[in-house]
Amino acid sequence: RPAPPTEPFTLNFTIANLMFTTDLGTPSSAKFRSTEKIMRHYIDRLLQKSSIGPYFSGCKVMRFRSGRHRHDTGVDAICSYRDSASLARFDREKVYQELSTMTKGVTTLGHYSLDQNSLYVNG
């Protein structure tokens, strides 16, 4: 029988201590690829520990963008999870709260600092 379909959701946040450069805006650049890999590592680890963990199937950073401040870089990712009867529904508020808690109130992601008002889950 076929695998359950995956449902996409967006994840957006701003890193306060990663300066945006043109090569971060270029998906084919080495800088984009290495930074994307690091982001994916951190994001995947958090989502695997969240309530959607058992259904989570991965994220892809779609783009890095210049943030509001000179040293900021915005991150736009598309993540997905397997739709399942045991997952009543995708609760973006709940996932937001979990991610917020795991990033110490939207302040830390690995060795990066986050802009506290920048986290959006399917927003």
Side-chain angles (χ1 to χ4, degrees):
R1 85 193 177 91
T6 59
E7 292 292 327
F9 64 97
T10 56
L11 191 62
N12 315 88
F13 56 93
T14 300
I15 300 166
N17 62 343
L18 177 65
M19 195 190 259
F20 182 77
T21 54
T22 47
D23 52 349
L24 263 183
T26 311
S28 57
S29 76
K31 174 100 176 180
F32 179 97
R33 287 198 302 266
S34 64
T35 309
E36 197 266 346
K37 207 162 144 184
I38 295 164
M39 285 304 134
R40 227 177 37 221
H41 167 78
Y42 287 137
I43 298 167
D44 286 0
R45 251 184 36 206
L46 291 180
L47 287 166
Q48 281 158 0
K49 285 193 282 193
S50 77
S51 57
I52 65 161
Y55 315 103
F56 173 67
S57 51
C59 288
K60 183 170 171 38
V61 175
M62 301 313 283
R63 69 183 189 128
F64 294 108
R65 57 189 152 69
S66 159
R68 280 196 304 264
H69 308 288
R70 207 162 58 88
H71 297 287
D72 289 1
T73 295
V75 180
D76 296 331
I78 292 185
C79 304
S80 57
Y81 62 95
R82 284 180 305 284
D83 206 5
S84 161
S86 45
L87 180 69
R89 63 188 182 87
F90 179 77
D91 185 342
R92 71 189 193 101
E93 289 295 318
K94 185 177 182 184
V95 173
Y96 174 89
Q97 286 307 327
E98 292 169 340
L99 291 178
S100 174
T101 302
M102 291 189 274
T103 55
K104 300 179 177 67
V106 194
T107 58
T108 315
L109 182 65
H111 58 275
Y112 293 107
S113 302
L114 299 177
D115 173 337
Q116 265 186 292
N117 305 310
S118 71
L119 179 64
Y120 293 95
V121 175
N122 238 3

